[in-house]
DNA sequence: TATCCACAGGAAATCAGGGTGT
DNA sequence: ACACCCTGATTTCCTGTGGATA
């Protein structure tokens, strides 16, 4: 490919040569992935014991109780369950339980959950991704469980179960799953729900609580010293010897402890710091790398999120950007966003206009993602609306938007809305009210 | 004190696009 | 070809509402 500017050309050969010659930082960076299951799980003894006790009877062919695991993100819920399931599988028993993992955020509909279970068990016949009625699949699944799983136990691990319950049909499928055993002759099933919302039980159907929610295991957040232990263990595997300066792990642990003790975050920080050191061809990972890693992680997440949004949502964000760019003092309300959105949408061919209702949902999604914040406020005679603020740096937003071709060309468009005197007047009144 | 603005946000309906078995 | 299934995105319809203003 030809270089357009010709004043700088990336020398890939040289890069690889230097890379291989440069200092080695990592030994096995997989150990810093949150999916990695270590030999020991520090500070989860009581949870391991609890789960082991609950599930042990599967080895004898009895039905283990269904239960729930609570805890914030990065408190080791999934890891602990995988850990116990591994150990359970290593026992020499004639019964080998099945473990089926379902992330309800990915496998997000009743149909797909049933299909996923079926397809995981069945090697040969697969259920198509759509098309069949649910009850047919349910019956097929029952048949399969009885024949293929036979006289064994099938654990259904529903990760992020709270998301499932929040959706329509979620309670029904959960109810169906809890009732599987009543319709099975040979095989037994047991449900393990994982949730990071402690209050999620309240939204659960009472019929389900009786079979699923009576027993639960709580995963408390890690404190800084516990995080240090976890990181130390992983670092031994992940890094070359001596590359970590002694202050690195305590710093990562402290930073993650501030964020409700999220081990995932701590591991990410450590990995990113290592990567930064590697990229800079440094021999050691230092506190400086960790500090940079923190900013990078935050930005990476935001950039990825914005780039991954639907185009219409990107337009919403663009509207906010344009108002802010041309009138930084403007008090932004949802109505303004919609007006500017309509305006710039008209500039783009082939993009249809969404309704206010839909845009309102997009604004909520952006709020949830932490990119903007919105506060419902009543402006008296000026109605009830949302005051919207950008929560990320506008430079970062600009950088993201510039990378979207269709949007790039309208980033200098000054919205008509913010130029009108009427709006300026209204805004002055708003400023006093806010 | 009643009014009334400009929305918020829930629920249900609709549509298009992916399928099925017969 | 036909009737029907499931999903996700969106529209349509709707009720609710805090507080400045007349």
């Amino acid at each position: 490919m030809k270089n357009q500017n010709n004043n700088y050309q990336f020398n890939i050969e040289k890069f690889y040569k230097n890379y291989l010659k440069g200092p080695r930082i990592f030994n096995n960076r997989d150990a810093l992935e949150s999916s990695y299951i270590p030999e020991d799980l520090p500070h989860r003894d009581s949870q391991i014991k609890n789960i082991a006790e609950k599930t042990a009877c599967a080895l004898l062919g009895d039905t283990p109780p269904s239960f729930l695991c609570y805890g914030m993100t990065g408190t080791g819920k999934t890891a602990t369950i995988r850990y116990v399931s591994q150990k359970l599988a290593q026992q020499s028993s004639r019964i080998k339980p099945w473990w089926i993992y379902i992330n309800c955020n990915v496998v997000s509909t009743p149909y797909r959950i049933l299909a996923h279970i079926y397809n995981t068990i069945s090697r040969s016949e697969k259920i198509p991704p759509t098309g069949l009625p649910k009850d047919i699949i349910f019956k097929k699944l029952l048949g399969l469980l009885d024949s293929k799983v036979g006289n064994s136990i099938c654990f259904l691990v529903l990760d992020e179960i709270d998301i499932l319950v929040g959706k329509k049909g979620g309670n029904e499928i959960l109810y169906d799953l809890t009732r599987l055993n009543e319709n099975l002759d040979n095989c037994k099933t047991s449900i393990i729900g994982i949730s990071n919302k402690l209050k999620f039980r309240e939204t659960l159907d009472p019929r389900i609580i009786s079979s699923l929610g009576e027993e639960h295991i709580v995963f408390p957040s890690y404190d800084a010293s516990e995080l240090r232990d976890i990181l130390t263990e992983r670092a031994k595997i992940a890094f070359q010897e001596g590359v970590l300066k002694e202050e690195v792990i305590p710093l990562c642990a402290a930073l993650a402890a501030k964020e409700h003790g999220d081990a995932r975050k701590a591991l990410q920080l450590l990995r990113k710091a290592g990567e930064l050191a590697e990229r800079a061809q440094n021999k050691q990972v230092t506190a400086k790398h960790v500090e940079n890693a923190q900013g990078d992680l935050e930005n990476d997440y935001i950039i990825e999120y914005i780039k991954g949004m639907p185009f219409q949502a990107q337009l919403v964000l663009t509207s906010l950007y344009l108002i802010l760019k041309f009138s930084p003092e403007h008090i932004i309300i949802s109505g303004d966003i919609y007006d500017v959105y309509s305006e710039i949408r008209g500039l783009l061919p082939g993009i249809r206009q969404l309704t206010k209702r839909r845009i309102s949902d997009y604004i909520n999604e952006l709020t949830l993602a932490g990119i903007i914040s919105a506060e419902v406020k009543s402006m008296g005679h000026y109605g009830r609306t949302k005051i919207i603020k950008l929560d990320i740096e506008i430079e970062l937003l600009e950088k993201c938007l510039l990378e979207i071709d269709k949007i790039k060309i309208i980033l200098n468009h000054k919205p008509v809305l913010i130029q009108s005197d009427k709006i300026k007047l209204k805004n002055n009144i708003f400023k006093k009210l806010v």
Side-chain angles (χ1 to χ4, degrees), chain A residues 16 34 44 46 100 142-143 204 271-272 338 379 399:
Chain A
Y16 283 136
S34 51
R44 281 296 172 251
S46 76
I100 297 176
L142 287 173
L204 219 47
R271 192 187 50 169
K272 190 81 187 182
Y338 188 73
M379 311 300 254
K399 191 184 152 211

Side-chain angles (χ1 to χ4, degrees), chain A residues 214-234:
Chain A
E214 293 198 326
E215 309 205 42
H216 57 257
I217 299 172
V218 176
F219 287 69
S221 297
Y222 296 110
D223 65 25
S225 92
E226 291 171 336
L227 287 171
R228 271 205 299 278
D229 294 341
I230 295 170
L231 292 180
T232 309
E233 287 294 309
R234 302 283 190 105

Side-chain angles (χ1 to χ4, degrees), chain A residues 181-248:
Chain A
N181 285 336
E182 296 170 19
N183 300 297
L184 288 167
D185 301 323
N186 303 322
C187 149
K188 297 287 173 202
T189 61
S190 161
I191 296 174
I192 301 174
I194 301 178
S195 161
N196 44 34
K197 292 217 180 82
L198 295 159
K199 290 176 76 182
F200 129 88
R201 257 174 70 112
E202 294 164 17
T203 57
L204 219 47
D205 194 307
R207 296 174 304 174
I208 301 169
I209 291 184
S210 65
S211 57
L212 181 62
E214 293 198 326
E215 309 205 42
H216 57 257
I217 299 172
V218 176
F219 287 69
S221 297
Y222 296 110
D223 65 25
S225 92
E226 291 171 336
L227 287 171
R228 271 205 299 278
D229 294 341
I230 295 170
L231 292 180
T232 309
E233 287 294 309
R234 302 283 190 105
K236 271 186 213 157
I237 308 164
F239 289 98
Q240 299 282 339
E241 224 175 305
V243 298
L244 290 186
K245 281 237 181 186
E246 65 272 22
E247 73 266 19
V248 168

